[in-house]
Amino acid sequence: MNIYVGNLPYTSRDDELERVFAAYGEIASATVIIDRESNRSRGFGFVEMPNDDEAQAAIAALNGSDLGGRTITVNQARPREERPRRW
């Protein structure tokens, strides 16, 4: 299951996200989205967990919890919406 993690501290990195979620099960990948210009977190990321039961347990436990002084939002990721191309 692909999990969205929002309201991350701007200092967050992939390894920190992986460490937090690893307490709930196997992690296939953990990625904090990085701004190209500033090279810091954009405040959200994604965690891929192969076991849906473990993923649901992580969502239930971590949604609304504190990470680095911020209350994070954790839920199942929705498919990316197609947006009109900008010129």
Side-chain angles (χ1 to χ4, degrees):
M1 175 184 296
N2 196 13
I3 301 169
Y4 167 82
V5 186
N7 203 33
L8 290 170
Y10 293 113
T11 57
S12 296
R13 294 290 179 238
D14 298 351
D15 58 339
E16 178 183 19
L17 199 56
E18 184 173 353
R19 180 181 44 78
V20 170
F21 278 81
Y24 299 94
E26 181 184 351
I27 307 298
S29 67
T31 306
V32 174
I33 305 305
I34 302 295
D35 182 78
R36 287 184 221 147
E37 293 179 20
S38 67
N39 201 35
R40 68 176 198 173
S41 166
R42 290 187 57 197
F44 68 97
F46 297 93
V47 176
E48 181 74 33
M49 296 182 76
N51 183 304
D52 286 351
D53 291 336
E54 293 173 353
Q56 289 294 347
I59 290 170
L62 295 172
N63 188 39
S65 67
D66 181 86
L67 181 64
R70 299 188 72 166
T71 302
I72 61 173
T73 301
V74 182
N75 53 43
Q76 185 172 355
R78 295 187 297 264
R80 189 173 186 169
E81 294 179 10
E82 287 294 321
R83 297 187 304 206
R85 188 170 181 189
R86 295 192 293 177
W87 297 95

